Structures are given as structure tokens and as C-alpha cells.
Amino acid sequence: MSTPLSPRLACCVMALLLVFAAALPAQARVVPDLYEVIEAVPSRGATDRASASSRGLERVFVRVTGDQEIGSNPKLAPVLNDAQKYLQVYRYDSDNNQLFLHLSYDPQAVNDLVHELQLPLWPNNRPGTLVWMAVDTLDGGRDTLRQEDYPELFGLLDGLALERGLPLDFPVMDLNDQRNMPLGNLWAQDEAAAERASVRYRPDATLMGRLLQTSGQRWQANWLLMHSGRSYAFDASGSTMEEVALRGINEAANLLADRYAVRTGETGVASAVIVEIAGIRSFAEYSSATSYLQGLAQVSAAEVLAVRGDRVTLSLNTSTQLESLRDVLALNRNLQLQRDDGLVDLSGYRAPLGSAQNPLRYNWQ
């Protein structure tokens, strides 16, 4: 199991997110610190450093693969035993008489290991997820969960989001949010209301949770994840509100990782998908668009086939299913999907989507 985030770091993360919550909309983000962790250690000794390096590398593999239980994979045991081999830099820090070891691992070396061991790779461009939550307690009744009322809970959720590499945001719950997402609609997990209320945050995914205290020692939670036109419902139970909330975030991370992870050992035969991007008006935009496509983990090669006016046509070599590729491209807000209007000839034949005759068409914003 992964080492839990230290209270010190969790509080720092929460404070930063509270400052920026109102300014930053939830959207697809490149997660920059997947390969950096902080471990509490009893001393600066070599043995304690080696042990912390092993724990830290396991946490990195959880983030990079999206697999919460990756540490139990026997393939990983030899790697974790030699974890210091993959360190780029480390340093010590102390706070309140506790010594901390900051560990930074080599991203390329870790990714090469993921490929070599045929583990899933969750690329670092990940869906920003907006979380709405309501609670029903035996003493207080039903209410919306707000950060200012439950700072410790939200600090734990922010810490878990950091551990899983999932960009997480919460509504500010000002008058606009309260009007657009009334408590009754939130408790009913009204998808239409969530879609309307979340517009101001522009999330890639929306997660709704209702946390119910059933007895003095038991909690039940119902969760609904909405993403890219699909909904996923799941439940969680536990002895505390914090436990069922953390399980909800964990399961949401599992679902999103499963959707976007590239599985090296399970890919099929690579095929070419033709993509046409309109609205390219400068070399800078051309460079941004082509570099983005060429850098996707799901794409082994991206070749520019033609440039006509403001349109660029590319061939993407990928083993990913077309639907999954479209999900990945939707994470880039500069790419706006055009309506699929592939031509049908007199015989009723319609060229396959992604072919030269019927490419995936996008506008560059």
C-alpha cells in the first residue's frame, strides 16, 4: 500500500488550492509533479534513505500507472528494492522535529520501466475533475459539504488527489453555486443540474457524492462520475465520513485511469487515423497543434500529410481504439470537434470515421 501523505504536506496543498480555487477552472491539465514525493524518515542514515526511496518509488508508480494496487505486482519488487538507482536528486527538510526526505525520480527512467514491464501508462495530461458533495448526518441532517466547514476532510481529499495524480477541484459554493445546484438536486444526483452548475468551472469530469451516516459507526456513500457523455455510478461504505469520501475519489481515479491509460502489452495492430484541423492561422498554432499530437502517449507517430490554407491534415499511427483516441483529444481545449458529416454515396456507403475520406475534423481555438 502507498504511504499516506504527511499532514504537513496535505495542509500545504490544501492552502494552495483554497487560494486558487475561484480563479482556476477544472480542466485537462498536465500534472507536473508525478515523479516527486516527500517521505517522513527517522534519520539521515543510508538504510532509512533506501527504505524511503522504495516507498516513494511505489507511490510514483501508482501515479504513473493509475493502478492503486501496483505495489503488489511481483514485476515491481526488484525495481523497488533498487529504487535509489532511479533517483535524480534528493534533499532533507525538517519541520516540528520531524525529518522529511524530498525525492525526485527520473521521469524517463520510470517511463522506460513501465514500458519494459508492460504496465499501463497514464499520460500526465489528465481530466480536471469537479467534485460536488452533500452529507446527511444523524445530528445535523442534510447539507452541502463546503471547504470552510470541513477543512480537514478537504485537506485529505486534496492529499489523495496528489497521490493519485488526479487534478481535483471543488465548487466555491457562493450564491451562484447555491442557486445553480440546490441541495435537493445535489442529493438526487441530478445530472442536468450538475451540467448546468458546472459550466462556470469547465470541468472535463464531474463527480457527485452523497454521504449518509447510517449509525454511529457506519457511513454509506453513493457516487456518480460524469465524463464525456457517460455516467458511472458506484458505492462506498466505511466507519467514517472521511473514509467513504476518500474511497469515492479513489474509485473516480481508477475509472479515469482505466479509460486513458496506455497498455503497452495489450495493444492491437497499429492503424492510421486521419485528423484534419481547421483554424490554424500562424506558424505558432501549427507548431502547437502538431507538437501536441506528436507528443501523445497514445500516438506512436504523427505525420503531416497536407497544409491547405488554415487546414492541416495529419496521419496518426495508433493502436488505441478510435473512441479512446477521441476521448484523449477532447482533453485539449484548443481542439473543438466538428460534427461528423461524412459523405454517403449513392450506394449508401459511408467512409469509416478517421479515414482519408472521412477524417476526424477539429477546429483549433
Side-chain angles (χ1 to χ4, degrees), residues 243-273:
E243 185 178 355
V244 295
L246 290 169
R247 288 184 175 179
I249 300 302
N250 251 330
E251 183 60 23
N254 291 341
L255 288 167
L256 292 170
D258 185 65
R259 183 163 184 178
Y260 288 103
V262 180
R263 289 165 176 80
T264 307
E266 300 175 7
T267 53
V269 177
S271 61
V273 176

Side-chain angles (χ1 to χ4, degrees), residues 264-342:
T264 307
E266 300 175 7
T267 53
V269 177
S271 61
V273 176
I274 307 303
V275 175
E276 181 183 273
I277 304 176
I280 302 295
R281 299 177 180 85
S282 67
F283 179 77
E285 292 181 344
Y286 168 85
S287 179
S288 295
T290 55
S291 296
Y292 168 72
L293 294 174
Q294 290 166 349
L296 288 174
Q298 294 83 357
V299 174
S300 57
E303 178 186 0
V304 176
L305 300 179
V307 179
R308 298 184 183 90
D310 70 342
R311 296 177 183 270
V312 178
T313 303
L314 303 98
S315 174
L316 307 184
N317 198 40
T318 178
S319 300
T320 302
Q321 293 183 353
L322 182 63
E323 183 179 20
S324 298
L325 179 63
R326 292 178 66 175
D327 288 342
V328 172
L329 296 179
L331 293 178
N332 188 324
R333 290 296 172 81
N334 288 324
L335 289 172
Q336 299 296 316
L337 183 65
Q338 295 183 16
R339 184 172 60 88
D340 175 19
D341 57 355

Side-chain angles (χ1 to χ4, degrees), residues 27-54:
Q27 55 186 340
R29 302 175 196 161
V30 175
V31 184
D33 51 1
L34 293 176
Y35 306 88
E36 299 177 7
V37 298
I38 300 176
E39 285 284 335
V41 291
S43 75
R44 296 173 181 259
T47 300
D48 289 331
R49 184 170 64 249
S51 179
S53 298
S54 178

Side-chain angles (χ1 to χ4, degrees), residues 63-172:
R63 296 174 183 172
V64 172
T65 65
D67 184 351
Q68 186 181 358
E69 306 296 333
I70 194 67
S72 62
N73 190 322
K75 294 180 179 180
L76 212 56
V79 174
L80 297 180
N81 289 335
D82 198 18
Q84 293 186 89
K85 176 181 177 181
Y86 306 100
L87 279 174
Q88 279 188 324
V89 65
Y90 68 87
R91 65 180 176 85
Y92 289 95
D93 186 19
S94 60
D95 185 66
N96 292 328
N97 296 319
Q98 174 62 61
L99 187 64
F100 295 94
L101 178 58
H102 297 245
L103 301 159
S104 180
Y105 297 88
D106 184 344
Q108 188 59 56
V110 171
N111 289 353
D112 287 346
L113 280 170
V114 168
H115 181 78
E116 178 184 334
L117 299 176
Q118 296 191 341
L119 302 175
L121 174 65
W122 189 9
N124 62 354
N125 186 30
R126 300 184 177 186
T129 303
L130 182 69
V131 183
W132 302 83
M133 293 185 294
V135 64
D136 193 344
T137 64
L138 296 176
D139 296 331
R142 192 172 295 176
D143 197 6
T144 302
L145 278 173
R146 299 174 177 85
Q147 286 178 304
E148 60 267 29
D149 298 330
Y150 297 89
E152 292 184 2
L153 169 64
F154 281 84
L156 290 172
L157 297 179
D158 289 332
L160 179 60
L162 182 66
E163 287 299 282
R164 297 302 307 271
L166 178 65
L168 208 64
D169 289 274
F170 304 98
V172 294

